[in-house]
């Protein structure tokens, strides 16, 4: 057997090196890398063993030039420090990798048309084949729907029913379930701590809270503004604690619900004996609040995977409208019937 030539220092193994190591042609190595079914099993195993032995890494830039495909999905997300967007990003990454693609993520801090265009341009510079956008803010969503791109755009968050290339959770239905749970327990004055109302999802949750009362011919309790954060929930909780006619509160997310629980405790209002509390999201910590928080669970992993499914389908030329994902109410210790019920 001829002695193998040493590679020049500083150069990684090439496809030709893999072919020489495995005793096959360059074309056979290429077929193995592209999962071609025409390669025999024993030959495939030899090539894979050579790849492992040499530490070969595919040159994606060269591959893109040869195939005119980047196999890369772009993701634009606002507020990645929040639970929902971060979970969507994590589940998208898993789904994209399982499909043999890569993901490029750009955080959106400037919720304007210009900020959105800058973010999208960064992804287009990476030759992404589709873009998934997760924003739930009125101003940014207007810009998203006005985008005119040569590649598919999938929207997730801030989604309404029957939108094409959109993956969303039914926020209104979740809020109705939360409020109906409190009304079914016998509460008649259910307050609501809203998220910032320039966010579509905050509007949808408020709509669901109102609709649950309307179904029963009841007037809703007071509406208290919040901004998704525990401090804003704490301030809202102080206001709710001072109104002894309020026996229950639906809070727009779990972070604010934590602030509400703390404020009620500080003001001597017991949960759930004096005031029942329901949140929204079901963050991992919700089961460990005191008392454990009744809340609406959003399956963000399902949302991320649906967005990837839509993006890959659009790349292949299909477009579909998916039903909104139905959230689940998780009942824990923070809700009970009012004392005089």
């Amino acid at each position: 057997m001829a002695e193998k030539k040493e590679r020049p220092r500083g150069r990684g193994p090439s496809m030709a090196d893999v072919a020489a190591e495995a005793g096959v042609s360059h074309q056979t190595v290429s077929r193995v890398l592209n999962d071609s079914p025409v390669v025999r099993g024993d030959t495939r195993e030899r090539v894979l063993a050579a790849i492992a032995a040499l530490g070969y890494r595919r040159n994606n830039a060269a591959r893109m030039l040869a195939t005119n495909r980047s196999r890369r999905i772009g993701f634009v997300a606002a507020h990645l420090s929040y639970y929902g967007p971060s979970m969507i990003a994590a589940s998208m990454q898993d789904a994209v990798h399982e499909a043999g693609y890569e993901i490029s993520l750009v955080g959106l801090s400037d919720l304007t048309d210009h900020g959105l265009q800058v973010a999208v341009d960064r992804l287009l510079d990476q030759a992404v084949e589709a873009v998934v956008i997760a924003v739930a803010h009125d101003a940014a969503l207007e810009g998203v729907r006005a985008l005119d791109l040569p590649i598919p755009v999938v929207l997730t968050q801030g989604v309404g029913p029957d939108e094409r290339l959109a993956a969303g959770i039914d926020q209104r239905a979740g809020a109705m379930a939360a409020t109906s749970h409190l009304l079914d327990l016998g509460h008649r004055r259910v307050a609501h701590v809203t998220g910032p109302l320039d966010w579509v999802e905050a509007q949808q949750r408020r709509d669901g809270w109102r609709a649950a009362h309307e179904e029963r011919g009841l007037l809703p309790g007071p509406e208290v503004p919040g901004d998704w954060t525990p401090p804003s929930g704490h301030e809202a909780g102080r206001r709710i604690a001072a109104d002894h006619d309020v026996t229950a509160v639906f809070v727009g997310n779990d972070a604010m619900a934590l602030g509400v629980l703390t404020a009620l405790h500080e003001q001597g209002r017991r949960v759930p004996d004096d005031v029942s509390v329901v949140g929204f999201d079901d963050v991992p910590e919700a089961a460990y609040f005191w008392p454990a928080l009744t809340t609406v669970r959003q399956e963000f992993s399902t949302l991320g995977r649906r967005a990837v499914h839509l993006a890959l389908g659009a790349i292949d030329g299909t477009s579909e409208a998916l039903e909104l994902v139905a959230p689940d109410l998780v009942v824990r210790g923070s809700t009970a019937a009012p004392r005089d019920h």
Side-chain angles (χ1 to χ4, degrees):
M1 184 174 177
E3 186 177 342
K4 293 178 183 175
K5 295 181 181 179
E6 290 189 8
R7 293 192 310 273
R9 286 189 178 183
R11 179 175 74 80
S14 66
M15 197 180 294
D17 295 325
V18 173
E21 177 78 13
V24 299
S25 69
H26 182 285
Q27 186 179 37
T28 297
V29 175
S30 177
R31 285 172 174 164
V32 170
L33 290 170
N34 287 296
D35 292 325
S36 170
V38 302
V39 182
R40 292 203 321 259
D42 58 338
T43 303
R44 182 183 302 276
E45 291 302 318
R46 286 210 318 276
V47 172
L48 293 175
I51 288 170
L54 295 174
Y56 171 76
R57 294 178 65 85
R58 191 161 198 184
N59 186 330
N60 285 324
R63 178 189 185 192
M64 189 173 72
L65 288 172
T67 64
N68 200 30
R69 296 284 303 274
S70 69
R71 297 190 71 82
R72 182 171 291 274
I73 303 294
F75 181 45
V76 178
H79 305 284
L80 279 166
S81 61
Y82 288 176
Y83 178 69
S86 67
M87 291 299 99
I88 293 171
S91 64
M92 274 191 59
Q93 179 171 277
D94 290 343
V96 163
H97 289 168
E98 288 168 12
Y101 279 67
E102 297 295 328
I103 189 167
S104 294
L105 187 151
V106 176
L108 184 64
S109 56
D110 177 12
L111 297 177
T112 64
D113 289 352
H114 174 72
L116 178 66
Q117 191 63 59
V118 168
V120 170
D121 285 346
R122 286 177 61 187
L123 293 173
L124 293 177
D125 287 344
Q126 298 178 52
V128 297
E129 297 186 36
V131 176
V132 177
I133 300 179
V135 295
H137 192 277
D138 280 341
L141 279 171
E142 288 180 14
V144 171
R145 292 188 169 97
L147 285 172
D148 183 16
L149 300 182
I151 58 175
V153 176
V154 175
L155 181 62
T156 181
Q157 291 198 299
V159 171
D162 301 321
E163 289 192 58
R164 289 201 169 274
L165 291 185
I169 292 174
D170 195 334
Q171 307 291 321
R172 188 177 187 273
M176 285 191 71
T179 309
S180 295
H181 168 65
L182 294 168
L183 296 174
D184 290 344
L185 287 171
H187 297 280
R188 289 296 175 265
R189 188 166 166 78
V190 178
H192 178 43
V193 180
T194 74
L197 291 176
D198 52 358
W199 286 59
V200 174
E201 293 179 347
Q203 299 164 22
Q204 292 168 335
R205 292 173 199 178
R206 181 178 64 172
D207 289 347
W209 165 69
R210 288 174 169 172
H213 286 86
E214 289 170 3
E215 277 190 349
R216 292 163 172 78
L218 298 172
L219 291 174
E223 179 180 315
V224 186
D227 64 7
W228 299 135
T229 67
S232 74
H234 185 267
E235 178 59 32
R238 289 175 61 87
R239 293 174 58 179
I240 290 165
D243 185 346
H244 285 256
D245 289 333
V246 172
T247 62
V249 55
F250 164 49
V251 189
N253 75 344
D254 290 350
M256 292 190 298
L258 176 59
V260 169
L261 289 172
T262 301
L264 290 172
H265 172 74
E266 290 172 350
Q267 300 301 311
R269 304 294 304 280
R270 293 172 300 168
V271 177
D273 294 348
D274 299 322
V275 182
S276 286
V277 179
V278 180
F280 206 105
D281 282 341
D282 195 27
V283 299
E285 299 84 2
Y288 302 96
F289 290 178
W290 186 255
L293 184 66
T294 295
T295 187
V296 176
R297 175 179 296 156
Q298 299 199 79
E299 293 293 350
F300 292 111
S301 61
T302 300
L303 198 59
R305 288 184 174 277
R306 281 186 165 211
V308 172
H309 166 77
L310 289 170
L312 296 178
I315 289 169
D316 291 335
T318 62
S319 175
E320 57 184 309
L322 297 178
E323 290 185 359
L324 296 175
V325 178
D328 298 315
L329 180 69
V330 181
V331 178
R332 298 192 180 103
S334 66
T335 53
R339 284 186 297 176
D340 59 353
H341 185 62

